Amino acid sequence: MASPANSFVGTPYWMAPEVILAMDEGQYDGKVDIWSLGITCIEMAERKPPLFNMNAMSALYHIAQNDSPTLQSKEWTDSFRRFVDYCLQKMPQGRPTSVELLRHDFVRRDRPLRVLIDLIQRTKDAVRELDNLQYRKMKKILFQETRNGPLNESQEDEEDSEHGTSLSRELDSLGSNHSIPSMSVSTGSQSSSVNSMQEVMDDSSSELVMMHDDESPVNSSSSVVPKKDHVFIRDEAGHGDPRPEPRPTQSVQSQALHYRNRERFATIKSASLVTRQIHEHEQENELREQMSGYKRMRRQHQKQLIALENKLKAEMDEHRLKLQKEVETHANNSSIELEKLAKKQVATIEKEAKVAAADEKKFQQQILAQQKKDLTTFLESQKKQYKICKEKIKEEMNEDHSTPKKEKQERISKHKENLQHTQAEEEAHLLTQQRLYYDKNCRFFKRKIMIKRHEVEQQNIREELNKKRTQKEMEHAMLIRHDESTRELEYRQLHTLQKLRMDLIRLQHQTELENQLEYNKRRERELHRKHVMELRQQPKNLKAMEMQIKKQFQDTCKVQTKQYKALKNHQLEVTPKNEHKTILKTLKDEQTRKLAILAEQYEQSINEMMASQALRLDEAQEAECQALRLQLQQEMELLNAYQSKIKMQTEAQHERELQKLEQRVSLRRAHLEQKIEEELAALQKERSERIKYLLERQEREIETFDMESLRMGFGNLVTLDFPKEDYR
């Protein structure tokens, strides 16, 4: 984006620093036009922008890295200086807007209203006079008769040349505040005052019609000939062509009307200036193309870097998404495995509970069956004992004949009752012992089942915690592997980005060096062309100087002839007549001798002039060559220094990026290791707490069970060891 104030598109002299940096860093706003306005003010004041004598590539570095330019001359007012400094703030944030500039003292000050109008009118008058002078010179070359002789023609040429030089200087002074570069853009250090009319050009002037008012003698006899979007002046005066003019067609008439309308636009440029601008415009295309190619290359490099950064960013996002999915998959698998383990443990506990209930029931049935069998045996034994006791009592009663029968019957009944009561007590005692044995063994069996359940719970919780620890260790190993793969990818991406940046910088520097070498060759060619033109022009200059010396010689000869005549008349008057012949011969010899001396001096002057001019020309050309070589060498050294500086800055940036990446990687690894330690500690703490809570709960259950057993009167069930028939 070039400023509209920039009258030479494609050159960097009017570019703001952010415009140059935008080729590498991004966007910029409308504050660049304020900068270009300040540069244009310096150009109008000093007839060329800052760094104008420098190569465009070198100017890019200067504008971007050096301080803002200022007015060099002390003749300008303080308000104008402040206005220029205000426009040329280095940072865009400190640069004013157009609204703020309109409130500046320099813009709001009182000033004459017709300054520009008077200046334009003076310039137009000077241009018209210069065109008339060029017209007279061309007319004299084409139509002048030979009656005046070569001497008079040379004198008129000199007078016209002096007149044209004065007019050019006047135009130079009038247009000094509107100067822009022409050929000095491509030559770099050539003076902008060589072609004084170039100071009043405009970049779009090659498309304007160079016509003047009807009162000018040039315009009174000229016709417009369009050619390739340019308009030239073709003189037709003096041709005396008797052929009738062809009748123009409608299109020709409309075109002529168009050019007549354009004639009414008053211009301040001469025809020779327009022709020169057309030629220079063609020569400037090469520099424009070079600068455009350089900008295009910088933009392409920036696009490549942005494209690579986006590609690497997408690759990193894809890598992180892949790792995140892997972590989520591992977490889901871990939760699924834990759920499966929990279901398995619940199923195992339920199965163990069912088995324990079945074993308990079976154990109870076994005890009840044994007790029933023992009770049946006990009852049968009691029946046998009762029968034996009954028979024994009967035998005793039968042996005792003294006891009455009734008393015997009472004694037998009483004995039966006692025996039945004793057997009933024994049966009740047996049932009590069996019930106690049954309850105590069932309690003991329940305690064994509870202890076995506790062991299963401990085994389950150990299995669950071990599973969690294994999963956590696998997760940590996966995170470490992810961190290492991410680190390798980051280092590889940084290396790729830095390699591309260095390759682009090397390519940019190579292009800049090639452009500089091409610029140097172009400067040398132009200087060589200038020297050739000077050598070609030298015979004309020598001829003019020779004519001047010849004129001086003729004037001296005339003076000596007059002096000789006056001396001869005086001698003839004061000497006798008979000596007149001798005196005349003597005076004639003296005159001849002096004329010979003058002729010798004339030839010597001619030879010395030619030798001195040739020597002076050689010395001047050699001095110009030396100055050009020195300047080009300085520019090359400056370019190399800036390129080395940029390369060093880039390497330092790469080193900072590498250090920053190393710090980020090490910090991320430290956080990961800290996270692993914290998770392992949390897992170990959870393991200890859950095992402790389980053991405490189981211990409370056992204590509660034992206390309840004590309250039930079963005593210590830990060492319980009953034989099966010891209940009697």
Side-chain angles (χ1 to χ4, degrees), residues 365-382:
Q365 290 177 355
Q366 288 178 355
I367 293 177
L368 291 175
Q370 183 66 33
Q371 286 181 352
K372 185 177 180 180
K373 184 178 179 181
D374 293 343
L375 180 61
T376 303
T377 304
F378 178 75
L379 291 176
E380 290 178 354
S381 174
Q382 277 187 344

Side-chain angles (χ1 to χ4, degrees), residues 354 594 617 634 718:
K354 291 180 181 180
K594 289 184 177 181
L617 181 61
Q634 291 176 353
V718 179

Side-chain angles (χ1 to χ4, degrees), residues 355-371:
V355 171
D359 291 342
E360 184 180 5
K361 187 175 181 180
K362 184 178 179 181
F363 179 74
Q364 291 175 356
Q365 290 177 355
Q366 288 178 355
I367 293 177
L368 291 175
Q370 183 66 33
Q371 286 181 352

Side-chain angles (χ1 to χ4, degrees), residues 618-665:
D618 293 339
E619 292 177 352
Q621 290 182 351
E622 184 64 26
E624 288 182 354
C625 291
Q626 291 291 342
L628 178 62
R629 281 194 291 268
L630 180 60
Q631 180 187 358
L632 295 180
Q633 182 181 0
Q634 291 176 353
E635 291 185 3
M636 182 63 74
E637 292 176 354
L638 179 63
L639 180 60
N640 291 330
Y642 274 116
Q643 288 182 350
S644 300
K645 182 179 179 181
I646 289 179
K647 186 176 180 181
M648 292 174 60
Q649 290 176 351
T650 305
E651 292 176 351
Q653 178 187 355
H654 289 176
E655 186 66 24
R656 289 194 301 271
E657 291 176 351
L658 184 60
Q659 293 178 359
K660 186 177 180 181
L661 178 60
E662 291 176 350
Q663 292 177 359
R664 186 167 67 249
V665 168

Side-chain angles (χ1 to χ4, degrees), residues 181-198:
S182 58
M183 283 301 296
S184 55
V185 174
S186 60
T187 58
S189 62
Q190 290 184 3
S191 174
S192 60
S193 63
V194 174
N195 298 322
S196 59
M197 280 306 298
Q198 296 172 6

